[in-house]
Amino acid sequence: MFEAHIYTEAANPDAGLHQRSVKPNTPANCWHTIYQCNVRYWMAEGKRQTRPTLFLYIEYCNKDNSHGYKLIEIPQTSLTVEDAQRIISQALLSPQLDPIKTEQWCKTL
């Protein structure tokens, strides 16, 4: 007999109480719903005209094997992983983005 156990944060009753924040300067992958591939992202803290700002960078591979990125400025001091993934998955990137090359690149990191 085979018994399967699947552990997820949703099964944890405290999961909703402590949402994870994106750690600055820590790269991660995120599924992009428009391009149907993972993209790489990271965040840096900074200021824009003395106002605390988060700079969210999304990186991908283009059809010509070059890398492109998109910068999204967020006027706040922290961002949950879930919010970052929602923002990233809906962002329009480049028409030159190659989903297959981007996915392969993300798997090698």
Side-chain angles (χ1 to χ4, degrees), residues 3-52:
E3 186 174 337
H5 297 277
I6 299 173
Y7 299 99
T8 64
E9 287 187 32
N12 181 353
D14 295 331
L17 298 175
H18 305 287
Q19 291 186 337
R20 299 175 298 147
S21 291
V22 176
K23 295 178 184 173
N25 303 315
T26 304
N29 289 340
C30 176
W31 183 256
H32 201 292
T33 55
I34 296 171
Y35 301 98
Q36 296 293 299
C37 65
N38 279 300
V39 293
R40 195 81 168 153
Y41 75 95
W42 70 94
M43 186 179 66
E45 297 173 329
K47 290 186 177 185
R48 175 70 70 196
Q49 298 175 350
T50 70
R51 186 179 71 232

Side-chain angles (χ1 to χ4, degrees), residues 2-107:
F2 177 78
E3 186 174 337
H5 297 277
I6 299 173
Y7 299 99
T8 64
E9 287 187 32
N12 181 353
D14 295 331
L17 298 175
H18 305 287
Q19 291 186 337
R20 299 175 298 147
S21 291
V22 176
K23 295 178 184 173
N25 303 315
T26 304
N29 289 340
C30 176
W31 183 256
H32 201 292
T33 55
I34 296 171
Y35 301 98
Q36 296 293 299
C37 65
N38 279 300
V39 293
R40 195 81 168 153
Y41 75 95
W42 70 94
M43 186 179 66
E45 297 173 329
K47 290 186 177 185
R48 175 70 70 196
Q49 298 175 350
T50 70
R51 186 179 71 232
T53 303
L54 297 175
F55 298 94
L56 181 63
Y57 294 88
I58 306 167
E59 191 173 5
Y60 50 87
C61 290
N62 290 315
K63 294 173 185 173
D64 65 358
N65 288 326
S66 65
H67 288 253
Y69 75 93
K70 179 175 182 102
L71 169 62
I72 299 174
E73 294 184 21
I74 303 166
Q76 58 193 55
T77 57
S78 68
L79 189 66
T80 65
V81 171
E82 293 78 16
D83 287 340
Q85 291 177 343
R86 181 182 46 76
I87 292 167
I88 293 164
S89 68
Q90 296 173 359
L92 291 177
L93 301 176
S94 169
Q96 296 303 311
L97 183 148
D98 186 308
I100 295 171
K101 290 179 182 178
T102 301
E103 183 69 26
Q104 290 171 344
W105 174 68
C106 285
K107 286 182 180 180

